[in-house]
Amino acid sequence: MRTEESPLRVGVVGLGYAGEQHLKNFVRMPNVEAVALAGLEEERLRELGEHYGVRDLHGSWEDLVARDDLDVVSIGAPNHLHAPIAIAALEGGRHVLCEKPLARTGDEAESIVRAAQKADRAVHIAFTQRERGDVQALRRHIEEGNLGRIYHAKATWMRRNGIPGMGGWFTSKAMAGGGPLIDLGVHMVDMALYLMGEPQVESVSCATYAELGPQGRGGWQDKGMMTGDNAYEVEDLATAFIRLSDGATLNLEAGWAVYRESSDDFGVTLYGTDGGAEMKVRNYGTRDTVRIYTDVAGVPAVVTPEIEPREGHYAVVRRFVETIRSGSWKGQHGEDGLGRARIIDACYVSALEGREVSLRDVDEEETV
Ligand SMILES: NC(=O)c1ccc[n+]([C@@H]2O[C@H](COP(=O)([O-])OP(=O)(O)OC[C@H]3O[C@@H](n4cnc5c(N)ncnc54)[C@H](O)[C@@H]3O)[C@@H](O)[C@H]2O)c1
C-alpha cells in the first residue's frame, strides 16, 4: 500500500537534453525514485539507465505510461507527443511534468489542462529560463517596486547557427508546431510577462521569416539527436509587437539562424517609470548578466548585482515534487502553459494573415 512516506515513483520519456535534465534532477530529490525511462535510441537508453540507476527501460512512451506503478510521468519528448503522453498519463491518474511548449497549439494545450482538471492531477511546465538566479533576483527587485510601472519591454533570443535537429522533428511544422517562436520565443514571452507581473496580452502583430533554414544553412552542429532528411518547414526568425493591459508593450524577437555574431544570446530589457533593467545572457553564461538603471541623489546610476546562479531544471523539478508532496495543486493543471500557447497561436495567425490579432479571437481560456 502507498503511504505519504512512500518514495515518489517517476517515469521519464525522452533521452535528449530535456529528458536527461528531468532524470538527473529527479534522482537528486530525496525520496524520489526514477523507476522507468523511455526513448527510441537503444544505446543511449541503456547508458542513461545505467548512469542514473533506472530499473526499467522502454522503447516507447506507450509502454511506460501503461505501467500501473508510477506517480509521475515526466515528458522530455518532441512537441507533438506532449498532448498524447500527458493526456494518457493524466487519465491513468499520474501527475505530469511537461517540457515547454506545453503543446503545439492552444487547443492541444487546453485538452491537457482539461484532462488534468478532470483527473485532479498537477501539470507543471518546464519554463526553466524564468527560474534562473538572475531572473528571480530581478523579479524580487521589481516586486519591491523599484522600477515603478513597467510600460515597455524587449525580449530576445537570437542565434547565428542554432537550428536544432535540422530535418528532424524540430523543423517539421506538424511535429514541432513551429520554429524559434514556439521553441525559444515561448521562453522569452514567459520570462517577460513573469517579470512584468503577468499583464494580460491584448493583441499581437507578428512576422515570421524562413530565409536560411530552407537553404540548409544555420544548422546547430551536434544539437538535437533526432535530425533527418525532411524538408525545412518552419520559420527561422520571428518578431512580434505585443500589446499588454494598461497600455504596456513588449517587443519579441526569436531567431535560430540569422547573420549576426556567432553566439547564442537571450535577454530582457525593462523600462519602468522609476527605473530600468537589462538582462543579457551570452552563451548561457550566469555571471554579470543584470544591470539595473536608477537615479542616486539625482544622477543616473547603474547597479550590477552579484547574483548566485541557479539551475533551471533543478528549480522546476524541486517545485513540482514539493507541490505533489503538499497534496495541493489547485490551479496548477498547466494553465500557465495554456496561456503562453494562446499567445504563440495568435502570433502565428498574425504572421500568416499579415495583421494584428486580438487574443480574444484565439483565447478560449475562460471556458476552461
Ligand atoms: N526547458 C529547456 O531548457 C529545454 C531544452 C531543450 C529542449 N526542451 C524541450 O524538450 C523537448 C525535447 O527536446 P530535446 O531537445 O530533448 O529533443 P531530442 O530530439 O534531443 O530528444 C527527444 C527524445 O524523445 C524521444 N522520443 C521520440 N519519440 C518517442 C516515442 N514514440 N516514445 C518514446 N520516446 C520518444 C526520442 O527517442 C528522444 O530521446 C521539446 O519539447 C523541447 O522543446 C526544453
Side-chain angles (χ1 to χ4, degrees), residues 87 106 113 115 138 173 287:
I87 292 168
V113 173
L138 205 44
K173 179 75 181 163
R287 299 277 174 201

Side-chain angles (χ1 to χ4, degrees), residues 4-9 26 28-33 321 325:
E4 287 292 299
E5 291 76 37
S6 303
L8 207 61
R9 284 184 300 216
F26 275 115
R28 284 163 85 176
M29 301 291 145
N31 212 23
V32 173
E33 281 179 8
V321 168
R325 289 231 187 283

Side-chain angles (χ1 to χ4, degrees), residues 129 132 153-159 180-181 183-193 195 237-240 242 250-256 258 260-261 263-270 278-284:
Q129 300 302 345
R132 292 174 55 94
K154 294 190 267 190
T156 164
W157 192 329
M158 297 292 283
R159 297 176 182 157
L181 176 61
D183 182 43
L184 307 178
V186 75
H187 268 307
M188 300 319 294
V189 165
D190 178 71
M191 190 191 287
L193 296 181
L195 285 170
L237 172 67
T239 179
I242 301 178
L250 167 65
N251 272 350
L252 174 71
E253 195 181 46
W256 275 342
V258 288
R260 63 183 296 278
E261 59 180 317
S263 52
D264 183 344
D265 302 332
F266 62 84
V268 173
T269 304
L270 303 165
E278 220 163 34
M279 192 190 83
K280 284 187 181 168
V281 177
R282 193 177 164 80
N283 293 325
Y284 300 92

Side-chain angles (χ1 to χ4, degrees), residues 305-366:
E306 286 179 26
I307 295 164
E308 277 303 304
R310 191 165 94 148
E311 284 175 51
H313 273 102
Y314 173 77
V316 164
V317 168
R318 192 182 58 184
R319 180 168 312 134
F320 177 68
V321 168
E322 281 170 4
T323 298
I324 290 162
R325 289 231 187 283
S326 76
S328 166
W329 40 81
K330 192 167 183 299
Q332 298 186 53
H333 306 294
E335 291 86 347
D336 50 346
L338 169 57
R340 302 316 189 219
R342 293 280 184 221
I343 298 166
I344 300 298
D345 269 3
C347 286
Y348 281 124
V349 172
S350 166
L352 190 69
E353 298 183 1
R355 64 177 180 94
E356 186 162 3
V357 169
S358 160
L359 254 282
R360 275 187 301 275
D361 297 344
V362 292
D363 192 355
E364 304 292 333
E365 216 176 339
E366 64 277 4

Side-chain angles (χ1 to χ4, degrees), residues 132-317:
R132 292 174 55 94
D134 41 21
V135 178
Q136 291 295 317
L138 205 44
R139 162 99 172 187
R140 287 195 297 278
H141 189 71
I142 293 164
E143 277 173 346
E144 283 175 14
N146 298 334
L147 300 195
R149 178 175 50 81
I150 300 169
Y151 53 90
H152 183 58
K154 294 190 267 190
T156 164
W157 192 329
M158 297 292 283
R159 297 176 182 157
R160 167 70 184 266
N161 286 312
I163 299 174
M166 184 74 99
W169 74 265
F170 268 108
T171 59
S172 150
K173 179 75 181 163
M175 286 194 258
L181 176 61
I182 199 167
D183 182 43
L184 307 178
V186 75
H187 268 307
M188 300 319 294
V189 165
D190 178 71
M191 190 191 287
L193 296 181
Y194 174 71
L195 285 170
M196 295 174 88
E198 298 294 342
Q200 286 296 315
V201 173
E202 302 287 344
S203 65
V204 304
S205 185
C206 176
T208 58
Y209 312 83
E211 300 293 343
L212 307 190
Q215 300 183 58
R217 296 194 207 157
W220 202 2
Q221 290 303 313
D222 304 323
K223 289 285 161 54
M225 296 189 301
M226 301 180 77
T227 53
D229 298 325
N230 297 327
Y232 188 96
E233 295 173 345
V234 294
E235 81 279 0
D236 51 24
L237 172 67
T239 179
F241 180 72
I242 301 178
R243 290 184 193 278
L244 307 168
S245 46
D246 298 329
T249 48
L250 167 65
N251 272 350
L252 174 71
E253 195 181 46
W256 275 342
V258 288
Y259 284 105
R260 63 183 296 278
E261 59 180 317
S262 293
S263 52
D264 183 344
D265 302 332
F266 62 84
V268 173
T269 304
L270 303 165
Y271 298 128
T273 49
D274 294 320
E278 220 163 34
M279 192 190 83
K280 284 187 181 168
V281 177
R282 193 177 164 80
N283 293 325
Y284 300 92
T286 53
R287 299 277 174 201
D288 194 25
T289 52
V290 174
R291 298 272 182 284
I292 290 166
Y293 301 102
T294 181
D295 288 320
V296 173
V299 292
V302 185
V303 178
T304 55
E306 286 179 26
I307 295 164
E308 277 303 304
R310 191 165 94 148
E311 284 175 51
H313 273 102
Y314 173 77
V316 164
V317 168

Side-chain angles (χ1 to χ4, degrees), residues 36-58:
L37 177 64
L40 304 181
E41 301 80 10
E42 281 177 29
E43 202 181 322
R44 188 159 163 84
L45 182 63
R46 270 196 307 277
E47 274 170 19
L48 288 182
E50 201 166 302
H51 186 78
Y52 293 103
V54 185
R55 264 198 326 268
D56 296 329
L57 306 176
H58 301 282

Side-chain angles (χ1 to χ4, degrees), residues 15 17-18 40-41 61 76-79 82 99-100 128 169 225:
L15 313 174
Y17 173 80
L40 304 181
E41 301 80 10
W61 69 264
N79 299 349
H82 292 186
E99 263 309 332
K100 47 52 64 174
T128 44
W169 74 265
M225 296 189 301

